[in-house]
Each structure stands twice: as C-alpha cells, then as structure tokens.
Amino acid sequence: MAKAKTPVSLSELGEFGLIEKLTKDISLKHKTSLKGVGDDAAVIDCGETCRVITTDMLTEGIHFNLMYVPLKHLGYKAVMVNLSDVYAMNAIPKQITVSISVSSKFSVEAIEELYAGIHLACETYDVDLIGGDTVSSLTGLTISVTAIGEARKEDVKYRSGAQLNDLICVSGDLGAAYLGLQILEREKDIYEKDNSIQPHLDGYDYILERQLKPEARKDIIEWFKAEGIKVNALIDISDGLSSELVHICKASDKGCQIYPEKIPINQSATDVAKELELEDLVAALHGGEDYELLFTVPISEYDKVNNFDGVSIIGNITDSGKAVLVTAEGEGVELVAQGWDGF
Ligand code: ADP
Ligand code: MG
C-alpha cells in the first residue's frame, strides 16, 4: 500500500511560497484584468483610466497587540498599509472598504475608537469609506481593508519595470518601525512581570510614531508628478528593504547591488538599536513596516533625485539576477526575501 503523503507545514513553505503555490495556475479571463496577483495591487482597465485594488489584513496577536496599540492608531494604520500599496502603483487612492471580525470582549465604544482612526485616515488622505462587512469572531479582532485607487494607464508603475543600470532609490528612512516595536515589546514584558512598573516610553517618540502611526507616502507620488520623474519600477516597503529588493529584481529579471552606508537610518533608530544591542542595518534591511517607497529611475534622473531631501540613492540595478549588499570591504552578501509573518 502506498504511504500517505506527509502534509506540508505552512512554516516550511513560508508566506511567499504559499502565495505562489496558491496562485501559480491562475490565468486571467478578462481583458480588463491588466494585472492580477504579483504586484502591490491588481490593475483593472477602465477605459481612459484604470483602477488599482489591494487588500491587507491585520490580525490581533499576529500584527498587533492591544496591550500597547491604541485602537484609534490601529484603525489609522490599517488604512495606511493599504494606501501605501496604492501609492506603490503610482495611483491615487479614492475609496476603501473595511471588514472587521470582532469578539464579545470588545465594547461598542472600543470599536468606535477603531473607526475614529479609520475616519481620520480617510479625511487626511481624501478617501471615501464605501462599505465593508462586520462579523463576530471567537477570539480577538481582525481588520481587513481593501483600497481602490485611480491612475492613467500609462502612469501605473510595476515592480517589473527596473532597467539595467537604474538607480535604486528609497524615500524617508528605514528600520525605525521595527525598533519601535522592540521597545513596546520590551516594556510589555517588564509590565507583565511586575504590574507596578509603568512603561518607560519617554524619549522614544520618533520610533514609536513610526510603528504606531505610519504615514503612506502620498507626497512622493506627488513629487514624481510635479517634477516629471521617470520612474521605472516601484514598490512599497512593508516586509523590509531586503524582501522588496528581491521582489523588484525577480519581477524585472534583473539583479541589484546596494551599499549599506547609503541606506537611510534615523539617528534615533541607530541610538535605540545600540541600546537594544541590535544592528540598525539589520532592522533597516529586514525589520519591515516602514511603508516607505522603493523605486528605480534611469541615471538621467540623477540630479533631480539627488537634489531632493527626502530620497536616498542606495544602489543600482545589475544583470546578475541577484540582490546583493556590497560591504565596505567590497564583499557581496546576497539578500533574501523574508515574509514578515513567517508563519
Ligand atoms: P504586499 O506586501 O504588497 O501587500 P503581499 O506580499 O501581501 O503584497 O502579496 C503579494 C501578491 O500576492 C499580491 O499581488 C497579492 O494580491 C497576492 N496575494 C496575497 N495573498 C493572496 C491570496 N491568499 N490569494 C490570492 N492572491 C494573494
Ligand atoms: Mg506592497
């Protein structure tokens, strides 16, 4: 008798492996489905313009811990992570839907607090909340947001557009959100051991704000438009710089080299990394949740990009097929894509 096949565990496959397995045989039936799985958002042909659509879900105990995440901030962040994916297509978000599954441990006031954050995000980013779903759960809270954005067809940017010798650019700074999470976790652990000790969060404002109240980079998309920047490939940084570089390289069938000393890291992130005996570079490469934009431009755009304060050039696209970090000693270390959740 043939032996029964041992079931494959989810952790063996990992987040990206699982998505690939589930979606590899999909063939799109409609001409209007311009892009399906595989970018920050799907793209649908709507004649003159197109719509981009993206969904991201946050689950209690996996993506957030309500011991230290205020519900209003959580609502705001649940919208931000989705708007970030819309901007990552060079599109303007217009609508969202919000679905929640919620257990009886939550009061009406608590859910209203969550929605105060969602409404604030909609006001700030000029987005309409147009629907959703509300169901009960056995334990905990899950929030799933779908964002819909608009762009002219020729303006949509994909992960796959990187060209040989392109400059690789990143907005803002990296690693701070991860370090903010480490401080929140440290204080939670101390409090759980001794309830009389109040969390010590003074002086950590920047990294805590980066973790608890991220902002999607609408301003960078506006800058692209205002300056006429020729962007070839675009992605947002949700899983860490390293993963997103690998995604761009894989989708574009290219490689890249980046230089650690060029990676933008805020001084307060560097200070906290030291305090926690962590490497700030590791937080920047693998930490995730930065919600910055990573993009490539032809060398002809060098002056425009180099003269803009909020953007750093961190490397260039190669034809090696590998994403490589070039150390100060000139050695190349290959970067890998790590799923943020890691089952
Ligand atoms: P991002 O980090 O930009 O939100 P993800 O890594 O979550 O992107 O997803 C990568 C791609 O896989 C996206 O195109 C997304 O729509 C698709 N995807 C993720 N999970 C599923 C799923 N369960 N079924 C179908 N497509 C999925
Ligand atoms: Mg994304």
Side-chain angles (χ1 to χ4, degrees), residues 11-27:
S11 56
E12 251 173 89
L13 215 52
E15 179 189 346
F16 299 131
L18 179 63
I19 296 174
E20 174 141 358
K21 196 171 185 62
L22 297 176
T23 60
K24 67 180 186 329
D25 296 327
I26 295 175
S27 63

Side-chain angles (χ1 to χ4, degrees), residues 40 85 159 236 238:
D40 295 290
D85 276 323
R159 297 174 177 187
D236 74 325
S238 53

